[in-house]
Amino acid sequence: MTIDKDVIKIISNARSVVFFTGAGISAESGIPTFRGKDGIWNKLRPEELANFDAFMRNPKLVWEWYKHRMEIVHKSEPNAGHLAIAEMQNMFDKVTVVTQNIDNLHIRAGSKTVYELHGNIERNYCVKCKQFFNKDFDISKGAPMCKCGGLIRPDVVWFGEYLPEDQFTAGDNAARQCDLFFIVGTSGVVYPAASLIFTAKNNGATLIEINIEPTEVCSSVNYSLYGKSGSILPELIKLIKDFRDNKD
Ligand code: BJW
Ligand code: ZN
């Protein structure tokens, strides 16, 4: 795709940049998205898997689903999109990643400031005493149990649950303070995460969406770049470098 020169100028002159990311950025690493054509929720019902009542009703089923997804995550590698975002840390005064993903791929790609709004699949905690665990549990005999007798669950945010306050507050502050806010590979339908888009907009940031198709929020953004994030983000790096080189 050709990217408008005006867009490259705005990006190149930005100082504080936020990348707000969703499942689409990890699609090219082989991790399925939730919604859309190949989304996992075309086959599985979120209300049976992604809420606390479903977990308490059938913890083994929910664990099997997470174990399966953990295996996919463990086999996957950061893709060109994650790596481009990490590289952009050297190109702007401040780069913050605010992600809805639980797959750790931004951190593995080298991004330093990453706020995880929906938790992290590598961590687990006891629903009773809240102790954290970072180990691979054997679930062949059922969901893992804590010494205190409580069930251990993945440290992810299910529907109806509050987001980790420190992560959301940090993401919200970054959205308020940035001058450029990228929305990458998210359908923008899940709240309160998606509210950060409007926080950034109301505080004067330019919004640029990168997605393979129009989304719920595309009418609110300044620019939409359509294509795979693993292609567009590396292309942006090249265009920013060219712009800055030709300016002097
Ligand atoms: C590419 C690409 C490529 C593909 N390149 N792009 C109204 C009705 C009912 C409920 C609500 C309501 N309004 C708000 C709510 C509450 C609810 C909510 O938002 N529901 C809406 C869905 C309706 N929110 C909550 O419940 C949240 N908590 C909350 O509100 O707390 C307050 C409260 C507390 C107590 C009582 C009541 C309220 C919590 C939300 C938690 C979301 N959790 C999940 C699961 C995480 C764990 C796990 O992974 O298992 O988070 S749901 C799922 O959606 C996951 C994601 O992070 C999240 C967002 O999805 P995302 O990332 O946008 O992915 P997709 O698949 O939707 O989109 C992918 C995009 O990529 C697409 O656009 C593609 O086109 C694109 N793409 N390939 C570029 N190569
Ligand atoms: Zn416990």
Side-chain angles (χ1 to χ4, degrees):
M1 78 170 303
T2 40
I3 301 173
D4 202 282
K5 198 106 200 265
D6 290 346
V7 182
I8 299 305
K9 186 174 175 188
I10 289 169
I11 301 174
S12 303
N13 290 333
R15 289 176 174 278
S16 176
V17 182
V18 169
F19 289 93
F20 174 62
T21 65
I25 193 163
S26 297
E28 290 158 79
S29 294
I31 301 176
T33 61
F34 296 92
R35 302 167 188 84
K37 192 167 62 69
D38 300 317
I40 49 182
W41 284 343
N42 291 332
K43 292 175 230 131
L44 301 163
R45 289 159 60 86
E47 57 274 30
E48 281 173 18
L49 292 166
N51 72 75
F52 186 71
D53 291 343
F55 175 70
M56 294 310 277
R57 261 196 318 271
N58 197 343
K60 186 160 192 282
L61 174 76
V62 175
W63 259 103
E64 280 165 357
W65 186 54
Y66 278 95
K67 193 85 176 177
H68 166 69
R69 291 175 58 207
M70 232 180 271
E71 279 161 14
I72 296 174
V73 166
H74 285 161
K75 278 191 214 138
S76 69
E77 294 293 334
N79 64 52
H82 299 105
L83 296 170
I85 291 177
E87 190 179 338
M88 287 199 216
Q89 291 172 133
N90 305 320
M91 301 174 72
F92 298 99
D93 290 351
K94 191 171 176 197
V95 171
T96 306
V97 177
V98 183
T99 189
Q100 299 166 86
N101 299 345
I102 60 171
D103 57 28
N104 238 356
L105 290 181
H106 284 297
I107 292 170
R108 284 175 58 197
S111 284
K112 300 270 183 278
T113 308
V114 181
Y115 300 120
E116 295 173 321
L117 301 182
H118 293 160
N120 190 309
I121 200 167
E122 305 283 347
R123 282 190 312 261
N124 304 288
Y125 70 91
C126 167
V127 299
K128 200 165 158 198
C129 72
K130 315 290 180 217
Q131 188 189 334
F132 280 90
F133 302 86
N134 294 62
K135 60 182 224 187
D136 195 14
F137 289 105
D138 174 9
I139 57 156
S140 55
K141 295 196 180 76
M145 304 289 292
C146 177
K147 277 192 194 127
C148 81
L151 271 168
I152 295 171
R153 60 165 280 181
D155 184 16
V156 298
V157 181
W158 287 322
F159 287 112
E161 295 185 322
Y162 290 105
L163 275 55
E165 201 184 337
D166 59 335
Q167 303 294 295
F168 186 77
T169 302
D172 187 70
N173 285 336
R176 277 173 208 285
Q177 289 159 16
C178 68
D179 45 24
L180 179 57
F181 189 90
F182 281 102
I183 303 152
V184 187
T186 176
S187 54
V189 296
V190 173
Y191 282 79
S195 69
L196 297 184
I197 297 168
F198 302 97
T199 302
K201 186 181 169 84
N202 294 336
N203 283 277
T206 301
L207 307 188
I208 302 181
E209 178 179 48
I210 300 176
N211 202 300
I212 51 170
E213 60 186 24
T215 67
E216 200 78 8
V217 296
C218 64
S219 58
S220 304
V221 305
N222 299 91
Y223 303 96
S224 293
L225 307 179
Y226 292 119
K228 292 186 173 181
S229 45
S231 306
I232 292 185
L233 287 162
E235 176 70 7
L236 287 181
I237 291 187
K238 196 175 142 299
L239 293 169
I240 297 165
K241 284 183 177 160
D242 287 351
F243 180 89
R244 288 181 177 166
D245 286 349
N246 293 331
K247 219 169 84 172
D248 319 311

